[in-house]
Amino acid sequence: MAIASPSTPTFSASFCCKRTVSTHPTRFPSTLSPTRTRHLPPRRFAISSRLNSSKSCGSVYPDNGGSEDFEHYELQHGFTGPVERRRRGSPVYVTLPSDSVAEDGKVRRIKVLTASLRALVTAGVEGVVMEIWWGIVEREKPRVYNWGGYLDLVALARRCGLKVRAVLAFHQHGIGPGDPLWISLPQWVLEEIDKDPDIAYTDRFGRRNMEYISLGCDMFPVLKGRSPLQAYSDFMMNFRDSFRSLLGVVITGVQVGMGPAGELRYPSCPSQKLAWAWHTRELGEFQCYDKYMIASLNACAHDVGMRGWGYGGPIGTGNLMHDPENTEFFKSNGGSWNSPSGKFFLQWYSGMLLLHGERICREAKTIFQGTEVDTSAKVAGIHWHYGTQSHPSELTAGYYNTSRRDGYLPIARMLGRYGFGLCCSGFGMRDVEEKKTNPVSSPEGFLRQILLAARVCHIPIEGENSATFSGDESFEQVLKMSKFYTYGLESPTFSFNFMRMDRYLFEQHNWARFTRFVRQLSGANIFRARLDFRGDVQPTSLSDVAKVRVAYTYC
């Protein structure tokens, strides 16, 4: 940090909401406090490590084991559970194209989409994942919602006998107006950002990130008299009211976006780069320099009597492509990430992210209570510095996960308190391939840690593949990691979202791999009868797949 401490003060993350303006009484989600789990069948567990201590040994490192990893975690965290093996399969969903609904709110390529959904039925797919974009539904004016295209999509899925998972996407998609898949934040939101640029995340160089509104202003009326949290809540309530008759019947799940790419994280690295980040070693940048974040940091530093720690993020973090061992902050031995000032900053930075997630979870739980839909949130699969001591790319994204501290268990505990499941990507990725280009990367190690945290907190997992997903090895890796999670569970709560439906999925060799994978994961009959939702369900056959291939050829 900018000013070193002459002594080691005592502090806790719980102080960080003292200066927060809130319409609801709330306490900062300190990872030291006891938590409540969702109401599920009795299961004994205890967490013996102090999660808010830098001496916690929560990180789990990659190896080639399966059940052995879990047994080690049982001993470490005092978790015990039934030893019965998995009795049934896990459902597979397929994510629809991001541009399925155009800016005018109408469904695009309806004939191709219809043939595609019917083809998915022949594969035994359980349902589809439908991203609902804030920038389309509430595009022009606040509180003016256009759900037309999404209602049509749900109706189409219903006629085909497919279930729907809705993703409420409060973020930007694409790299800019020239991108054919570009979807910005609502126009009226962009107008407010023009008036007050500090609504956007800001790094130490003053660069603004427009992917998602800064969580520093969650509770401030910066959006035409409403706070971002109020805008998200109003959107969720209107969604619930508009789709009420379908919730729990066709729409069985709702994933609530909490950051860039819908993930609970900071935009430390632009989302478009994350699609190819396994080829890089970017450290990321701390996103704490807008006036709202600085005000919070300054208040927290004042509360612990260390004013000099409140003027900005750490120094000595290097540039994006730096070797972390050549930086003052991230290096393994003597790096200031492990100093009192570094711990203070990282607790505040990650704590603000947890608080943001908790606020949204609390609102969503109230809004969707009684609708019988499952709610979930997504965590980013940032693995390219997992083999280092400091895990720099995770720290800049807001995950206080190091070799000495488990940063994902507090997130799982927070989600569990509100009955949320956890969605994470990286399924299908293998260490043996990633280490060829980046020796300190470990997608398998990262994923094992996430899955073990979910097991300890007994929350459902929604797996998702990354952009590197291809070939039989990737499908086999998904099966392997799903078994790692469900091992010994009497009632497994694992499902898989395949990213994403496009023309390549329906190419003959890809389609053969995919259908085989669906059968293996779900244990379903490829020609099973589909549930009739009182719609005009049409019989499906493999000829639908051929129709899709032809249709995509002429798109």
Side-chain angles (χ1 to χ4, degrees), residues 112-130:
V112 176
L113 194 56
T114 301
S116 299
L117 295 189
R118 289 175 176 169
L120 294 181
V121 172
T122 69
V125 168
E126 184 79 7
V128 293
V129 179
M130 176 182 69

Side-chain angles (χ1 to χ4, degrees), residues 504-514 516 549:
Y504 302 107
L505 173 62
F506 298 101
E507 291 180 356
Q508 187 169 359
H509 58 288
N510 291 332
W511 183 251
R513 292 192 186 106
F514 176 73
R516 182 168 58 250
R549 293 173 189 154

